[in-house]
Amino acid sequence: MGLVYADIELINAEDTAVAERGFIDQSEIRRTKVSAIVDSGAYMLAINEEIKLQLGLRVVDRKLAGLADGTTIGLEVVGPIEIRFKNRKSITTAMVLPGNSEVLLGAIPMEDMDVIIDPLRQELLVHPERPYIPKMSLK
């Protein structure tokens, strides 16, 4: 299976909350559209420093991350950040990769949005059995 990419929108979830309370206009919500590598072997959303600054995300934690080459590095965790894909959304945190690294969409937000990877077509899909509303498992 080759690399799978998905077009997603990333939104500063704190801006959305402030706009809902009427303190800023909807047009002031910081957002960006990106093409993300879809990786069910990764846990979280990972963004780069440029996106962190563009969205004005605050640092909420720091964690160690194991990279594909076997190294471990300490990374900032920022958020809250809303991910939108087609008719799905998830609010989560994101690890910040150095420099201009590619955005990576991991398993936790994918599970939350109830999306699947179609390896034959090499694309991310809204779960075909639940096209209108995501289903979550509570067990």
Side-chain angles (χ1 to χ4, degrees):
M1 181 169 94
L3 294 176
V4 176
Y5 285 85
D7 293 328
I8 61 174
E9 185 174 25
L10 303 174
I11 302 166
N12 181 320
E14 287 184 333
D15 284 359
T16 302
V18 172
E20 287 172 356
R21 290 180 183 88
F23 294 111
I24 65 171
D25 189 70
Q26 291 285 327
S27 65
E28 296 177 79
I29 297 173
R30 291 168 283 187
R31 59 183 68 222
T32 188
K33 292 182 180 180
V34 298
S35 180
I37 295 174
V38 178
D39 186 355
S40 61
Y43 290 113
M44 296 179 66
L45 173 68
I47 62 173
N48 59 44
E49 293 170 349
E50 182 180 316
I51 293 171
K52 171 195 164 191
L53 293 174
Q54 181 181 357
L55 297 180
L57 298 168
R58 65 184 171 87
V59 176
V60 296
D61 202 358
R62 217 172 147 72
K63 292 186 179 182
L64 294 176
L67 303 180
D69 67 2
T71 61
T72 300
I73 60 173
L75 296 174
E76 292 178 336
V77 178
V78 297
I81 186 169
E82 182 178 329
I83 306 165
R84 291 189 184 176
F85 173 75
K86 298 193 178 184
N87 66 338
R88 303 298 167 92
K89 67 180 177 178
S90 177
I91 297 176
T92 188
T93 56
M95 297 185 93
V96 181
L97 296 170
N100 197 20
S101 301
E102 287 187 287
V103 174
L104 186 144
L105 181 63
I108 293 173
M110 284 193 289
E111 284 285 327
D112 191 39
M113 292 188 289
D114 194 20
V115 295
I116 61 171
I117 299 170
D118 182 332
L120 191 59
R121 293 176 18 195
Q122 293 186 316
E123 66 179 306
L124 188 66
L125 303 172
V126 167
H127 200 296
E129 294 175 10
R130 300 176 286 278
Y132 304 111
I133 188 165
K135 179 181 177 184
M136 304 298 302
S137 176
L138 294 178
K139 51 181 174 172

